[in-house]
Each structure stands twice: as structure tokens, then as C-alpha cells.
Amino acid sequence: MKLWQTADSMDARIEAFTIGNDPVLDQELIPFDCMATIAHVTMLQEIGILDADETGKLIAALNDIINLHSSGQFRIQPNQEDGHSAIEEFLTGRLGSAGKKVHTGRSRNDQVLTAIRLFEKFAIEELIQLAKKMADSLQKFALANAGIPLPGYTHTRKAMPFTVKDWAMSFHDALLDDVKLLECTFELIDQNPLGTGAGYGVPLPLNRQTTTDLMGFSRIMENPMYAQNSRGKFESRILNDCLMILYDLNKWASDLIFFTIPDLGYFNLDPTMVTGSSIMPHKKNPDVLELIRASYHQVAGYEYQLKMIPANLISGYHRDLQYTKEPLMKGLKTCRDVLEASLVLLSGLSVNSDNLHSAMTAELLSVQKVMELVNSGMPFRDAYRQISQIYKPDKPAADSEK
Ligand code: ARG
């Protein structure tokens, strides 16, 4: 029986359609939903809705669910509609009327918002740690290869001299900027929506400060309608930050795909991290880099879904919002997986110093030559023209220029 069921049972086909993928997705939210429910029942005792005995038993049962979940033994059944129902059924099955009181003063709409927000805070912290770790590994790679030159490219053609160190540090710096964005988003979403009900508050003297403190939110999300309207908005903000990380790693991957082309051989991927071809026995392919690169586009699609689903809805809860859960979870998982794979790949990345030294051909110094003439007093445009003569296509650089 559904939590909301009062009369007719539901058409099974419509029921399955409305439940959708929730029993699978909510599985991830169970520990966060339980943490929020522990805060909620503690507060219900404070305002006299539950007695100490009921509260103690509810908290013990909720901790049991968390433990069952972590050992893979708490599974939402497809007919239970969602994780919120599964938790309440468990509590009611074990504790009877105390379980039936647990939903006092909340709606599944603020319940799901709260569980998702706790899940997001956890996921963002995890991403910040991983992004910092990647930045740190890039710095170590940069320092380990200091002094090795690298041709800088524009338009995929050699441009000016650069170094392996500065190449790696560019991604270090980029990821630390991304961390700042994540920290800013963390601060934005760190507001407790529990107690806002279905978007219009709850006619009970709930102590929202208590639940805020117990769940570790930095503040109360005061306006109940904004709490509902923030669903989707906050999620797309988070995926936008993921997208910035993936944007940087997309470029990192593209660079490495290029630098590891056998014809160039600037960098080498670890032989245990490349894939082969089923027909061409000589191939060693950088599939991992291609998937890192493609993840940017995948998550851009998820972010787009998050921006589209809530748009045009009038204020307050709508079931449409259920569909924000999947792109959010997929986007966060993709970003985490990409960072983890990148860390592994970087640990096996090596630099082919000989090839890089011989790749530093004379034309890379064209700008330097121009500047030498400028320094001796020649106007820039004259110097540019004079040096350009050396590099005319029909006039290959003399050996002495190399
Ligand atoms: N699965 C729903 C969601 O993610 C939970 C809330 C359902 N609320 C409702 N009034 N039908 O939005």
C-alpha cells in the first residue's frame, strides 16, 4: 500500500510509469534520508510529538537501516514506490505507531530535497578532494619533468617553445579554479530545506534550527516556496561545476591523445592502460583518453536536462522534478569516475625526453628572432617581415637554423 493511499488501488501500468527508476535511484539516497529522518524525529521529540522511548527506538531502527544498506541488505522493492516509502514501511513494520508518526510535519517533497542535498554535499566534498589530488599529482608530474621542452601548438601546428612543466601546471591551475567553483556551490546549497513541506510551510511549531544543526547545514532555507523552486536550479549549478572539471580534463585528454601519437611520441601511456584492436595487431589505442574527452559532452547533456526539466513549471512541487534525480546522479558519478581514471592514467604517464628535444625545431624560435631584431632597434613589422623570409615554404630552413 502506498503512503498516500486512501481509496482505490492504482492502475498497475500507470503506477509503474510514475514510479519509473526511483527504486533504483533512491537506493543511493537511503543513508542520507535516514540521517535527515534521525534529525527530524529528534526535533519531533523536542516539540512533544514523539516521546523519548519512541524517539530512541526510531533512531535505533534508522541506524539499522543505514547499516543494512551499507552491507547491501536494504533494498527498495519496486512496489514500494520510492526510498521514503521503504524507510517508513520498515519503521512501521518494526515499531508500529511510532513508525506511523515519523512523517508528521514533513512532505516527501521536502524529504527528498533534504536527502538529495545531503547527498550532494557529500558528493561535492568527494569531488573537491579528488580534484585537489589530481592537481597535486599534476604538480608532481610537472616538477619531475622540469627542464624538458615541449613545442607549443596553435591550429595543431608548431607555434612557440613551451615546457612539459608549464603544460602540466596549466591543468593544475585550472583544476584549482574548479575547486573554488565547487566550494562556492557548496556554500550556496548548504541550506536546510527540511520543514518547508510541499513548498508552503507546515502548520506545526517545527524547530528548524534543531534539524539544521543536527544535519550539519550552515543555515535554514527560510522561504518554503524557494526551497521547492531550488530543486533543479541547485542541481544544474552543481553539474556546471562538474562540467568545468570535465572541460579541463577534456583538453588534457586531447593533448595526450595528440602527444602520444606514435609519429610524435612525445609522451608514453603505460602499456597496461591502452587497449588493442581486434583486427590490427599493431594498435595500442588511447581509449581511456577518448572516454575522458567524451565525458564532457555526456555531462553537458545531463546539465541541459537539469536546466530544461524544471523550467516553465509554476512554483511549488511537480512530479516533473523527479526526473532531475537521474541526470544529477549520473553527472556526479561521471565526474568522479573521470577524475579517478585520470589519476590512474597520470600515474603511468611518462615523457619521451629525446623525442621532445628533437621536436624543438628552428621555426619555434621565429618570435624570439623577431624580438632580437626589435631589441636592436628595428620596428616590429620590419623585423617580422625579415624573419618571415627564413620560413617561406619554398625556402626550407638551412641546417644552421635548426
Ligand atoms: N520521487 C519523488 C521525487 O523525486 C518523491 C516525491 C514525490 N512527491 C509527490 N507528491 N508525488 O520527486
Side-chain angles (χ1 to χ4, degrees):
M1 184 158 132
K2 303 279 160 293
L3 293 182
W4 42 266
Q5 199 157 325
T6 47
D8 298 335
S9 61
M10 203 176 175
D11 180 283
R13 294 156 301 179
I14 299 299
E15 184 183 358
F17 177 74
T18 52
I19 290 175
N21 208 13
D22 258 19
V24 176
L25 300 173
D26 282 10
Q27 203 61 43
E28 285 235 39
L29 297 179
I30 291 292
F32 302 100
D33 208 345
C34 288
M35 280 158 54
T37 305
I38 289 172
H40 184 63
V41 298
T42 307
M43 185 275 294
L44 288 181
Q45 182 196 350
E46 189 185 295
I47 64 167
I49 305 256
L50 292 168
D51 65 30
D53 181 55
E54 290 170 322
T55 309
K57 285 182 176 143
L58 282 166
I59 292 174
L62 286 159
N63 279 319
D64 284 350
I65 297 178
I66 294 175
N67 291 331
L68 285 169
H69 177 270
S70 69
S71 59
Q73 294 174 71
F74 189 84
R75 300 234 65 95
I76 304 163
Q77 300 308 314
N79 65 341
Q80 279 179 316
E81 194 166 13
D82 54 28
H84 324 300
S85 310
I87 291 171
E88 191 171 319
E89 260 186 58
F90 181 96
L91 297 176
T92 307
R94 183 187 283 193
L95 303 170
S97 69
K100 289 188 200 162
K101 290 182 188 175
V102 88
H103 207 56
T104 315
R106 72 177 178 186
S107 150
R108 272 185 303 167
N109 303 338
D110 62 339
Q111 185 177 356
V112 67
L113 258 183
T114 310
I116 288 176
R117 207 152 290 176
L118 290 172
F119 163 82
E120 290 168 344
K121 284 179 62 182
F122 181 81
I124 292 175
E125 275 176 339
E126 217 175 38
L127 286 181
I128 289 175
Q129 291 319 316
L130 277 171
K132 281 186 177 165
K133 207 165 154 192
M134 183 67 188
D136 195 51
S137 302
L138 283 161
Q139 187 170 38
K140 291 203 175 91
F141 179 88
L143 296 178
N145 294 291
I148 302 179
L150 176 78
Y153 284 79
T154 65
H155 309 267
T156 329
R157 275 126 182 94
K158 281 185 184 169
M160 288 177 71
F162 207 52
T163 64
V164 171
K165 178 171 171 243
D166 288 331
W167 171 82
M169 285 308 285
S170 80
F171 296 105
H172 162 275
D173 293 358
L175 284 170
L176 291 188
D177 275 355
D178 301 335
V179 165
K180 282 190 203 133
L181 293 173
L182 279 169
E183 286 168 347
C184 172
T185 299
F186 186 95
E187 199 195 316
L188 171 76
I189 69 158
D190 193 12
Q191 338 186 18
N192 175 19
L194 190 64
T196 59
Y200 303 100
V202 177
L204 272 178
L206 302 177
N207 189 340
R208 298 193 59 203
Q209 192 57 52
T210 296
T211 56
T212 300
D213 295 342
L214 288 172
M215 288 187 282
F217 280 107
S218 72
R219 61 199 183 283
I220 298 173
M221 191 161 202
E222 291 289 354
N223 189 299
M225 201 171 86
Y226 178 44
Q228 276 308 317
N229 291 353
S230 68
R231 191 167 174 197
K233 171 183 167 175
F234 284 7
E235 282 65 36
S236 78
R237 177 67 253 143
I238 293 167
L239 279 209
N240 193 264
D241 295 346
C242 291
L243 209 51
M244 293 301 98
I245 291 176
L246 295 170
Y247 178 88
D248 295 324
L249 294 177
N250 166 292
K251 286 203 176 297
W252 182 70
S254 287
D255 281 0
L256 285 176
I257 290 168
F258 180 57
F259 293 157
T260 56
I261 290 174
D263 314 64
L264 290 183
Y266 293 168
F267 288 24
N268 307 313
L269 298 173
D270 189 287
T272 65
M273 299 182 197
V274 292
T275 43
S277 155
S278 60
I279 181 171
M280 296 166 281
H282 66 286
K283 295 296 290 294
K284 296 278 173 279
N285 296 326
D287 295 27
V288 52
L289 289 166
E290 291 164 345
L291 293 171
I292 290 172
R293 182 174 63 182
S295 297
Y296 170 75
H297 306 279
Q298 247 195 339
V299 174
Y302 299 143
E303 193 215 3
Y304 186 71
Q305 288 182 41
L306 287 176
K307 289 215 158 73
M308 288 304 109
I309 292 161
N312 297 339
L313 303 179
I314 70 157
S315 296
Y317 178 81
H318 305 263
R319 193 66 178 264
D320 309 49
L321 296 171
Q322 178 168 291
Y323 280 165
T324 60
K325 217 157 22 185
E326 190 152 5
L328 169 77
M329 287 179 171
K330 282 185 172 168
L332 285 168
K333 181 177 182 324
T334 304
C335 191
R336 195 175 54 229
D337 290 350
V338 165
L339 278 165
E340 278 168 355
S342 300
L343 275 162
V344 175
L345 191 87
L346 180 57
S347 72
L349 185 68
S350 57
V351 172
N352 198 336
S353 177
D354 290 348
N355 284 357
L356 279 166
H357 276 102
S358 40
M360 301 309 287
T361 42
E363 75 275 26
L364 288 160
L365 296 176
S366 70
V367 180
Q368 190 172 319
K369 290 202 170 91
V370 172
M371 294 313 156
E372 280 162 13
L373 294 178
V374 165
N375 280 336
S376 65
M378 190 183 283
F380 171 79
R381 194 49 64 203
D382 293 340
Y384 175 96
R385 294 225 166 90
Q386 181 176 317
I387 297 298
S388 71
Q389 295 304 311
I390 304 174
Y391 302 105
K392 281 204 155 163
D394 56 346
K395 188 173 179 296
D399 272 355
S400 61
E401 300 285 350
K402 285 192 178 158

